[in-house]
Amino acid sequence: MSCVACYSSIERSLGRKKFIKKIEVDLINAQAFIIYDENLADKQTIINKIEKLGYKASETKNIDSKNNKNNKYLLAIIFAIPLFIISMASMVLDIKNELLICIIEIILLLPILYAGSQIFKRGFLSLIKLVPNMDSLIMLGSSSAILYSLYMLILYLNEKNHSLLHNVYFESAGVIIAVIMLGKKLENNATQNAKSALESLI
């Protein structure tokens, strides 16, 4: 879970089920307290429902948040920096070979999309379940930029009009994903530090 909308979507989605009597989701501790009717469902059914929304779930005794490290944000940042530089340089320096620049941008964008694949998965699943969250917004925005840029590229290949390549936004999609992933990592670190401080205080 990465935002308030995430745990709200889990509470709303599961709260509608007949076998759920009570559900409280804690964003900071990444845990859920659930009372359910054992005659209508079991723990695995609940876990499956949560995972269908795009999140990982397991019993509390199997969770070790300290070992749950995800450094894919580094991959996104590493490729986003040259993607941004090349995109800006092509405009400032007025480089004539726009097609080559577009191809390079697409190549640099692919690892960023791989690194941020969970954002697209969670965003798409939340949208389908009619409980959109921040990931849904990122997914729609970056996908729109990529699809529009590909459309402009196809038009250029058919018409050979160089002005069409001025309307590609591969770098926008890549940089947005990388910045969001970095922000989530910083937020997660701050949350873990606050949690550790509270545990020490207790």
Side-chain angles (χ1 to χ4, degrees):
M1 298 183 294
S2 59
C3 64
V4 174
C6 292
Y7 81 77
S8 295
S9 66
I10 294 175
E11 284 187 347
R12 289 198 305 269
S13 182
L14 266 70
R16 297 170 187 159
K17 307 301 179 184
K18 292 182 179 180
F19 54 82
I20 299 293
K21 295 182 178 180
K22 181 179 181 181
I23 176 170
E24 295 177 355
V25 181
D26 183 355
L27 176 62
I28 294 179
N29 293 311
Q31 294 181 350
F33 174 75
I34 301 173
I35 299 176
Y36 64 98
D37 188 339
E38 294 182 343
N39 295 320
L40 300 177
D42 55 15
K43 292 178 183 177
Q44 192 57 46
T45 301
I46 296 172
I47 290 173
N48 292 339
K49 293 291 182 184
I50 295 174
E51 291 183 342
K52 282 184 178 180
L53 292 173
Y55 306 97
K56 292 182 180 180
S58 64
E59 288 189 64
T60 306
K61 62 184 180 182
N62 296 326
I63 295 176
D64 187 358
S65 59
K66 293 181 180 179
N67 294 326
N68 186 20
K69 297 181 179 179
N70 185 354
N71 293 322
K72 286 186 177 180
Y73 77 99
L74 288 175
L75 178 65
I77 293 294
I78 289 171
F79 283 91
I81 293 173
L83 175 61
F84 178 77
I85 292 173
I86 289 173
S87 173
M88 294 300 104
S90 65
M91 291 189 291
V92 175
L93 301 177
D94 193 26
I95 298 174
K96 299 300 180 182
N97 197 341
E98 293 95 344
L99 180 59
L100 178 60
I101 295 297
C102 282
I103 293 173
I104 294 174
E105 287 182 2
I106 292 173
I107 292 173
L108 291 172
L109 178 63
L110 291 176
I112 300 175
L113 294 178
Y114 166 74
S117 58
Q118 284 300 314
I119 293 177
F120 286 84
K121 180 183 177 182
R122 288 193 300 264
F124 182 71
L125 290 174
S126 297
L127 204 58
I128 289 179
K129 298 289 184 179
L130 300 179
V131 282
N133 55 21
M134 185 176 71
D135 290 329
S136 303
L137 180 62
I138 300 166
M139 183 269 295
L140 288 173
S142 55
S143 297
S144 299
I146 294 170
L147 291 175
Y148 180 76
S149 299
L150 290 174
Y151 175 67
M152 288 293 106
L153 184 58
I154 293 171
L155 283 183
Y156 164 77
L157 295 175
N158 291 331
E159 302 177 10
K160 300 299 180 182
N161 184 351
H162 288 277
S163 64
L164 292 171
L165 293 182
H166 295 159
N167 297 317
V168 295
Y169 302 99
F170 294 117
E171 86 287 348
S172 298
V175 170
I176 286 172
I177 294 170
V179 169
I180 290 296
M181 292 185 70
L182 176 61
K184 285 186 176 183
K185 179 63 177 178
L186 295 175
E187 183 182 28
N188 182 64
N189 288 344
T191 301
Q192 290 301 320
N193 289 337
K195 181 181 176 183
S196 298
L198 286 173
E199 288 175 349
S200 299
L201 183 61
I202 291 172

